[in-house]
Amino acid sequence: DIQMTQSPSSLSASVGDRVTITCRASQGIRNDLGWYQQKPGKAPKRLIYAASSLQSGVPSRFSGSGSGTEFTLTISSLQPEDFATYYCLQHNSYPLTFGQGTKVEIK
Amino acid sequence: QLQLQESGPGLVKPSETLSLTCTVSNGSITSYTHFWDWIRQPPGKGLEWIGTIYYTGKTFYNPSLQSRVTLSVDTSTNQFSLKLRSVTAADTAVYYCTRRDYDPNYGMDVWGQGTTVTVSS
């Protein structure tokens, strides 16, 4: 199984801050990775697919990068509506595996 | 816009079978270019992939659940289903159904709203 190690598990940030979340895969997964945002009581929502492609309708302050084993989600200027939990997901091989999640909280 | 809706009992007794159905609306489950997945999330915890089914009935399961899980598809009703046998309190979770692109680059683009299942006597 491919393990996805996501860090940090939580962070506190202020509106306007730049935020970076990292996922590391235990083996190479090309760019078969997505980033998802989940707000309390809601289903996850895809932000990024193919590691760096922005989902239609998602603000451009979100960006993804990486390939192989190291991946990053960046929020360039944190907005109030961005406070949520973020997950990476590898869909390169079965079983599909998620990162542990990063909870982004208000400082 | 394609939509997914989970349905099934919200309460299941320990040792019994959890059964959920996902109804696909405004689209076809016989799409050649999509898989259909189940994901779950225990209270306060992260997301866990349960398994995948293609419209032909081909399945892939999470090894951690494989001995207890069966996925099925009904193309006549545009639905796919999850059965999880011998449940315990550890199976209490929100269960989501999703659509995933056949190309591994793309992942899950549509999610159901989720349904909460509690395992308790």
Side-chain angles (χ1 to χ4, degrees):
Chain A
D1 298 5
I2 296 175
Q3 309 302 318
M4 301 301 298
T5 303
Q6 186 173 341
S7 61
S9 57
S10 65
L11 65 90
S12 295
S14 301
V15 172
D17 284 354
R18 182 181 182 87
V19 168
T20 299
I21 299 168
T22 298
C23 261
R24 179 177 292 114
S26 60
Q27 63 191 74
I29 58 169
R30 306 185 311 172
N31 63 339
D32 298 333
L33 179 125
W35 289 97
Y36 296 79
Q37 177 194 64
Q38 186 179 33
K39 295 183 177 179
K42 300 294 187 182
K45 167 189 167 185
R46 188 172 70 176
L47 302 175
I48 300 286
Y49 62 93
S52 60
S53 296
L54 191 66
Q55 174 73 29
S56 174
V58 172
S60 59
R61 62 181 179 272
F62 290 94
S63 64
S65 65
S67 183
T69 60
E70 295 280 339
F71 301 88
T72 299
L73 173 70
T74 299
I75 309 172
S76 60
S77 177
L78 199 65
Q79 297 302 300
E81 59 268 31
D82 301 337
F83 292 95
T85 301
Y86 295 84
Y87 295 92
C88 62
L89 166 65
Q90 71 81 16
H91 21 82
N92 174 266
S93 61
Y94 294 112
L96 309 188
T97 45
F98 289 90
Q100 300 94 323
T102 296
K103 186 173 184 179
V104 177
E105 298 176 302
I106 302 173
K107 181 183 286 185
Chain B
Q1 170 121 3
L2 184 137
Q3 293 182 313
L4 303 174
Q5 178 68 60
E6 304 89 350
S7 59
L11 181 64
V12 181
K13 291 182 168 54
S15 80
E16 295 190 345
T17 297
L18 179 162
S19 297
L20 297 176
T21 296
C22 183
T23 300
V24 180
S25 303
N26 302 323
S28 176
I29 202 167
T30 59
S31 166
Y32 292 104
T33 57
H34 292 96
F35 291 107
W36 308 94
D37 290 79
W38 287 95
I39 308 295
R40 71 179 183 177
Q41 184 171 38
K45 296 189 177 180
L47 300 162
E48 179 182 33
W49 176 75
I50 299 171
T52 284
I53 191 163
Y54 192 53
Y55 80 95
T56 57
K58 176 71 174 175
T59 54
F60 298 91
Y61 297 127
N62 191 322
S64 67
L65 297 168
Q66 184 160 5
S67 64
R68 299 193 292 131
V69 171
T70 301
L71 301 189
S72 59
V73 62
D74 187 339
T75 57
S76 67
T77 59
N78 229 25
Q79 296 176 324
F80 61 107
S81 298
L82 162 70
K83 290 190 185 300
L84 181 64
R85 297 176 291 278
S86 304
V87 298
T88 70
D91 296 309
T92 293
V94 177
Y95 287 76
Y96 297 100
C97 57
T98 75
R99 183 182 78 167
R100 178 167 53 91
D101 201 281
Y102 196 87
D103 185 327
N105 245 205
Y106 294 102
M108 298 163 187
D109 63 339
V110 181
W111 293 63
Q113 65 184 27
T115 189
T116 299
V117 178
T118 301
V119 178
S120 175
S121 55

